[in-house]
Amino acid sequence: MFVENEKHITIQALHRMPYYLQKLRELKNEGVEVISAPKIAQMLNLNEVQVRKDFAAVSDSKGKPKAGFSVLELISQMEELLGFNNTDDAVLVGVGSLGHAFLAYKGFEEYGLNIVAAFDLNPEFIGREISGKIILPADKISEMCFRMGIHIGIITVPEEQAQKVCDQLVAGGVLAIWNFAPVHLSVPENVLVKNENLAASLAVLSKHLKEKMKNL
Amino acid sequence: MFVENEKHITIQALHRMPYYLQKLRELKNEGVEVISAPKIAQMLNLNEVQVRKDFAAVSDSKGKPKAGFSVLELISQMEELLGFNNTDDAVLVGVGSLGHAFLAYKGFEEYGLNIVAAFDLNPEFIGREISGKIILPADKISEMCFRMGIHIGIITVPEEQAQKVCDQLVAGGVLAIWNFAPVHLSVPENVLVKNENLAASLAVLSKHLKEKMKNL
DNA sequence: TAGATTGTTAATCGATTAACAATC
DNA sequence: TAGATTGTTAATCGATTAACAATC
């Protein structure tokens, strides 16, 4: 069977989407109804062909020569693509300072993520509640994920524990893992790991700074 | 003048470094003194040539044919490259739930980042302390950064305020900005913005999940 | 009509991967 | 020596950018 309408969207393009979306919402609030790719490109400091291709990748609706694209249509198609419209349930493992923070963070809901439970190894934390989410013992991960039909796991444990926790999540049927531990996780090929690499980001900043300071 | 020994390291390579470093530290703890690129590649699920090139980019010391690379040397050279050895001071702007979290997060220090002060617009927060860091009014950003010689700013404000805060940081002499607001920031060309894109990461997870569930 | 903008094909660029001689 | 591994040059791959005809 030949799949005709399967849109190919690169991961790089996906990462540009939130910035398009933010700008489009801003334009909408200013009452702008139609916008051209070159104008968006200039505002976001991108190449105009890239913007046109990105827009083509999200939306079936076409732009109008001389005018541009419908702001409202782009917004709703991007929200759909980014999954902001439908909410996914997730669990979080590791209630250290970063995990604690994420439990309290309101922003994830806006992006369509709902943390329904948290786990930790430390018996001191177990049974406590953070932002209305109860903390359960880590040895219940697989069972709970399976029972609640959870398919997203967030890992905020120290590096030594990350792989073990990951295995438990996978055993519980989790298919997508958001990993904040600076460790490579081994998973079966149908499971996706999205690594969040705060150390590397900081290294980028620190390197830039070092070079700038050298020139002063 | 001709610069011979200026190492070129791509941003992609830099992002792989924390994973090398973690694995190398693990090997060190197991008493391993020398490791080959193909073995590391296998452990981290990377291409072996890529590993060799990455190692060559960080270290002047060469690997030994048939043996491999010195684990200890690689560790210290990577720590140096990633800036884990020297600490940079930074300020944080926006003490909402994410900003609050970061102030409490212990992990940044390990990566060589020290948050020395926080700012917020909300008068309710001002003067309060979080993890020993005092919260100052946002209109003092430029002055304080300048006076304290701060060159790194972390932005955790809502999107509407991000550009303004960014301008204040730049006015105060900040040269590197870690931006958690899903907004494109306009800065002078000598200033670096490193965008942290939680919404995009979540979209990657959510998209993967949707495709997997479709096939069940 | 003239001109801005679109969509698409071709060229460029940069990173990854393959191939292979040199080395211990 | 034989063979694993290195460092490097060449080929491949994929994303970005340039060029340009089609359109309103």
Side-chain angles (χ1 to χ4, degrees):
Chain A
M1 187 103 67
F2 188 69
V3 180
E4 175 83 48
N5 65 345
E6 193 70 26
K7 280 274 167 57
H8 179 66
I9 181 159
T10 64
I11 193 159
Q12 288 90 337
L14 200 56
H15 274 84
R16 286 189 290 270
M17 294 300 161
Y19 301 99
Y20 292 133
L21 182 55
Q22 187 279 331
K23 184 55 78 179
L24 289 164
R25 283 171 171 167
E26 202 179 298
L27 289 165
K28 181 191 142 203
N29 286 341
E30 291 166 6
V32 178
E33 287 177 4
V34 172
I35 191 77
S36 72
K39 286 200 185 101
I40 289 276
Q42 199 204 359
M43 290 186 275
L44 299 183
N45 204 24
L46 297 170
N47 179 285
E48 68 171 75
V49 181
Q50 187 167 64
V51 174
R52 245 179 281 140
K53 287 202 169 166
D54 286 347
F55 284 6
V58 262
S59 86
D60 319 302
S61 58
K62 306 223 162 179
K64 290 219 175 86
K66 172 112 189 195
F69 299 80
S70 157
V71 172
L72 282 180
E73 276 184 28
L74 282 176
I75 288 175
S76 81
Q77 285 159 337
M78 281 186 190
E79 285 175 345
E80 178 63 26
L81 176 87
L82 290 171
F84 290 3
N85 291 330
N86 64 324
T87 299
D88 291 315
D89 285 342
V91 296
L92 180 144
V93 190
V95 192
S97 54
L98 190 64
H100 194 120
F102 283 172
L103 286 178
Y105 182 45
K106 308 282 188 297
F108 290 147
E109 279 167 42
E110 211 176 305
Y111 303 150
L113 190 85
N114 181 32
I115 301 175
V116 295
F119 299 90
D120 205 288
L121 270 175
N122 189 340
E124 206 183 306
F125 291 164
I126 294 173
R128 273 168 53 182
E129 265 190 28
I130 297 175
S131 304
K133 286 134 194 169
I134 195 159
I135 300 170
L136 302 164
D139 54 18
K140 291 283 193 299
I141 292 173
S142 303
E143 187 196 329
M144 286 296 290
C145 288
F146 187 75
R147 252 189 20 215
M148 301 179 75
I150 304 291
H151 300 292
I152 295 183
I154 306 172
I155 297 183
T156 49
V157 298
E159 19 187 284
E160 312 86 64
Q161 296 160 30
Q163 182 64 58
K164 193 189 171 195
V165 160
C166 174
D167 294 341
Q168 288 173 282
L169 288 165
V170 170
V174 162
L175 294 167
I177 288 174
W178 204 8
N179 175 36
F180 287 82
V183 191
H184 168 77
L185 298 175
S186 296
V187 292
E189 64 168 340
N190 66 324
V191 175
L192 178 82
V193 175
K194 174 76 186 165
N195 290 306
E196 211 64 48
N197 199 331
L198 299 180
S201 297
L202 271 170
V204 172
L205 294 176
S206 161
K207 263 183 79 64
H208 171 81
L209 204 56
K210 205 183 281 178
E211 273 158 36
K212 283 291 152 194
M213 302 303 284
K214 207 168 55 188
N215 302 336
L216 293 183
Chain B
M1 187 102 67
F2 187 69
V3 180
E4 175 83 48
N5 64 345
E6 194 68 26
K7 279 275 165 58
H8 180 66
I9 181 158
T10 66
I11 193 159
Q12 288 90 337
L14 201 55
H15 275 85
R16 286 189 290 270
M17 294 300 161
Y19 302 100
Y20 291 132
L21 182 55
Q22 187 278 331
K23 184 55 78 180
L24 289 164
R25 283 171 171 167
E26 202 178 297
L27 289 165
K28 181 191 141 201
N29 287 341
E30 290 166 6
V32 178
E33 287 178 5
V34 173
I35 191 78
S36 74
K39 288 204 184 97
I40 289 275
Q42 199 204 359
M43 290 187 273
L44 299 183
N45 204 25
L46 296 170
N47 178 286
E48 68 170 75
V49 182
Q50 187 167 65
V51 174
R52 245 178 282 141
K53 286 202 169 167
D54 286 347
F55 284 6
V58 260
S59 85
D60 319 301
S61 57
K62 306 222 162 178
K64 291 220 174 84
K66 172 111 191 198
F69 299 79
S70 156
V71 171
L72 281 181
E73 274 184 29
L74 282 176
I75 289 176
S76 80
Q77 284 159 338
M78 282 188 189
E79 285 175 345
E80 178 62 28
L81 176 88
L82 291 170
F84 289 4
N85 291 330
N86 63 322
T87 300
D88 290 315
D89 285 342
V91 297
L92 180 144
V93 189
V95 192
S97 55
L98 191 64
H100 194 120
F102 283 171
L103 286 178
Y105 182 44
K106 307 283 188 298
F108 289 146
E109 278 167 44
E110 211 176 307
Y111 302 151
L113 189 85
N114 180 34
I115 301 175
V116 295
F119 298 90
D120 205 288
L121 270 175
N122 190 340
E124 206 183 306
F125 290 165
I126 293 173
R128 274 168 52 184
E129 266 191 27
I130 297 174
S131 303
K133 286 133 194 170
I134 195 157
I135 300 170
L136 302 164
D139 55 18
K140 290 283 193 299
I141 293 173
S142 302
E143 186 195 330
M144 284 297 289
C145 288
F146 187 74
R147 247 183 30 208
M148 300 180 75
I150 304 292
H151 300 293
I152 296 183
I154 306 172
I155 296 183
T156 49
V157 298
E159 17 187 286
E160 313 85 65
Q161 296 160 29
Q163 182 65 57
K164 193 189 169 195
V165 160
C166 174
D167 295 341
Q168 288 173 280
L169 288 165
V170 170
V174 162
L175 294 167
I177 288 175
W178 203 9
N179 176 36
F180 286 82
V183 192
H184 168 77
L185 298 176
S186 296
V187 292
E189 65 168 340
N190 65 323
V191 175
L192 178 82
V193 175
K194 174 75 186 166
N195 290 306
E196 212 63 48
N197 200 332
L198 299 180
S201 296
L202 272 170
V204 172
L205 295 176
S206 162
K207 263 184 79 65
H208 171 82
L209 205 55
K210 206 184 281 178
E211 274 158 36
K212 283 292 152 195
M213 302 303 285
K214 207 169 53 186
N215 301 336
L216 292 184

